[in-house]
Amino acid sequence: MIRKIIHIDEEKCNGCGACVTACHEGAIGLVNGKARLMRDDYCDGFGDCLPGCPTGAITFEEREAAAYDEQAVLENKQKKAAAAAEKPVFHGCPGSAMRQFDRQQAAPTAAPAAAQPSQLAQWPCQIKLVPVNAPYFDGAKLLIAADCTAYAYANIHQEFMRGHVTIISCPKLDAVDYSEKLTEIIRNNDIRSVTVLRMEVPCCGGLEHAAVTALKNSGKFIPWNVVTFSVDGRILDR
């Protein structure tokens, strides 16, 4: 039958998982870090998921689709509830899943090591607050970092921030597509290179997407790379 149903643009999706949580019918899931309509007959077409999409990746379309099956949705909910009762499973954005790490405390040394100086080269550093044009962007190596990377990776100041202009944001909590502002920063300043620091969680893909989009839209050819950290502080990819 032809009916109204949601459409997910995977190019725009940043994997934040907000729509997964908002969809009461369980029609949407995260697959390889992207939101996906799992079953047509789970989608009622009411659009409860739409207010939760920060990038506008979810829209309505009319197409051939299976009719909404309320009974199937109810049975799926009951199945999930039964499974959760046996073994609690986290549902929602993977970046919000609770984890605890067993950190081994180092033995105290006779003389404390000298404090390491901060390598933050300018203020402000939040993307939402930095001006598009600033003298510190002239000839800068630009570091675009997700907020959590500084806490997950212990040596971030010495290994990544040193010699760079650092700007930071949380792509999930800010709920803003920073690609336009980053485009203007790169286009209007003499940026020598761009490094993106992100966490492994899907919602952090929004920052990488914004940076890559900005590089493309700036019209400049600038060396760039992305470094991904695990939530327990390891470098997964660089």
Side-chain angles (χ1 to χ4, degrees):
M1 63 182 294
I2 302 294
R3 70 180 184 94
K4 185 165 68 172
I5 196 167
I6 65 165
H7 170 73
I8 302 174
D9 186 340
E10 290 194 3
E11 289 296 318
K12 292 182 178 180
C13 176
N14 66 8
C16 72
C19 58
V20 178
T21 303
C23 181
H24 306 303
E25 286 72 32
I28 306 175
L30 284 177
V31 179
N32 296 325
K34 297 286 186 177
R36 180 176 297 178
L37 179 61
M38 307 304 291
R39 285 180 51 161
D40 287 358
D41 60 345
Y42 282 5
C43 178
D44 59 11
F46 290 158
D48 287 344
C49 51
L50 293 181
C53 184
T55 64
I58 300 179
T59 56
F60 281 118
E61 65 177 355
E62 290 194 359
R63 63 170 174 83
E64 182 73 31
Y68 172 63
D69 190 336
E70 186 175 1
Q71 183 60 34
V73 170
L74 179 59
E75 291 175 358
N76 184 51
K77 287 182 178 180
Q78 292 173 340
K79 182 179 178 181
K80 288 183 176 180
E86 294 180 5
K87 182 179 180 181
V89 178
F90 178 81
H91 297 284
C93 174
S96 301
M98 184 178 66
R99 307 187 197 184
Q100 186 171 356
F101 310 118
D102 183 17
R103 302 293 190 189
Q104 299 297 320
Q105 298 297 317
T109 57
Q116 296 297 312
S118 170
Q119 297 297 322
L120 184 64
Q122 89 296 330
W123 188 264
C125 57
Q126 286 282 349
I127 295 177
K128 67 171 66 176
L129 300 179
V130 296
V132 170
N133 295 101
Y136 47 73
F137 284 136
D138 185 28
K141 295 179 180 179
L142 185 63
L143 184 70
I144 305 172
D147 291 352
C148 293
T149 58
Y151 297 95
Y153 192 71
N155 202 37
I156 194 168
H157 275 256
Q158 294 299 321
E159 193 169 338
F160 292 101
M161 291 174 59
R162 184 170 58 180
H164 289 74
V165 168
T166 302
I167 55 178
I168 65 174
S169 80
C170 175
K172 180 172 184 177
L173 298 183
D174 287 359
V176 174
D177 182 1
Y178 283 119
S179 59
E180 290 187 10
K181 185 166 188 178
L182 291 175
T183 297
E184 293 304 307
I185 290 174
I186 295 171
R187 177 185 291 154
N188 296 329
N189 297 279
D190 179 24
I191 303 296
R192 294 168 53 194
S193 67
V194 173
T195 300
V196 180
L197 304 185
R198 58 161 293 181
M199 300 302 297
E200 64 177 318
V201 295
C203 51
C204 231
L207 187 63
E208 179 180 349
H209 178 268
V212 172
T213 300
L215 284 163
K216 292 178 180 177
N217 293 342
S218 71
K220 294 184 176 180
F221 296 95
I222 299 173
W224 66 280
N225 71 303
V226 178
V227 182
T228 303
F229 300 96
S230 67
V231 294
D232 61 354
R234 294 172 292 112
I235 294 179
L236 298 177
D237 187 34
R238 63 186 309 169

